[in-house]
Amino acid sequence: MTDLVNTAPGVWSGVDQLGDDAALRDFLDGHRLGATRITADDVADVHAVRERLRPLVETADAGGRVAGAAVLTEPVVRVALDGDAWVAVLAEDTGAAEVLGVVGGLGLLSVQRHLGSDRFRPCASDTCSGVFVDVSRPGRRRYCMPGHCGNRVNVANHRARRRARDT
Ligand SMILES: [Zn+2]
């Protein structure tokens, strides 16, 4: 995203880094994105997307950022806005599996790409078979439901310590 915005003329150089279909193909390949079709029209469409992305990065208005990003996702998923928050909505003729697949898939792909494989973990509690995706900044989360599984482990440890002390 950052890379795309910064290919515009005047950012890294005077020329457009995505000036033609070959440059766009290289850019997509370089980011392991690929595309089945790249025509002059697609190049123009990408330029238009790039111009819409930049203000979304620059703005200090988080609500405006979400709203602008939601418009960009519209061909795939409908998003309802609530200030800075957003919620994916089932458009008519969109099955629940479809929307959950898109939203869940994009979420997982984003974490995989930006945070890496070790953010996908099983819960550390012995009595829980949950799994979770750790999107916390430090990345040290251990339980699928920290207030619940973490407490159960603490309670169990506490009881074990007390038993050991009392015997
Ligand atoms: Zn758990």
Side-chain angles (χ1 to χ4, degrees):
M1 232 272 308
T2 302
D3 289 349
L4 174 58
V5 168
N6 292 335
T7 57
V11 178
W12 288 333
S13 75
V15 298
D16 195 323
Q17 307 285 308
L18 298 180
D20 57 25
D21 48 352
L24 179 53
R25 168 82 61 194
D26 283 349
F27 180 84
L28 290 171
D29 287 349
H31 291 77
R32 294 181 295 165
L33 289 169
T36 53
R37 185 200 69 209
I38 299 178
T39 66
D41 282 352
D42 295 315
V43 173
D45 288 347
V46 167
H47 289 176
V49 167
R50 184 175 66 187
E51 274 156 38
R52 291 164 72 185
L53 281 171
R54 179 162 184 122
L56 300 179
V57 176
E58 289 174 318
T59 183
D61 169 17
R65 175 179 300 118
V66 171
V71 172
L72 289 171
T73 67
E74 239 163 42
V76 185
V77 66
R78 248 184 78 220
V79 170
L81 304 172
D82 178 18
D84 297 357
W86 60 274
V87 55
V89 176
L90 297 178
E92 264 180 66
D93 299 328
T94 303
E98 220 175 336
V99 81
L100 288 175
V102 169
V103 173
L106 282 176
L108 293 184
L109 289 168
S110 176
V111 172
Q112 177 63 48
R113 176 168 294 204
H114 298 292
L115 296 174
S117 298
D118 71 339
R119 294 303 189 102
F120 300 84
R121 294 189 212 122
C123 182
S125 165
D126 290 338
T127 56
C128 176
S129 60
V131 296
F132 64 94
V133 181
D134 183 0
V135 295
S136 68
R137 199 181 301 243
R140 290 193 291 266
R141 185 172 149 193
R142 299 181 59 216
Y143 306 105
C144 63
M145 285 188 292
H148 183 69
C149 307
N151 275 345
R152 266 202 312 214
V153 170
N154 289 341
V155 168
N157 286 344
H158 178 74
R159 286 202 185 117
R161 273 196 305 274
R162 198 169 53 194
R163 267 199 307 275
R165 192 187 58 208
D166 292 349
T167 51

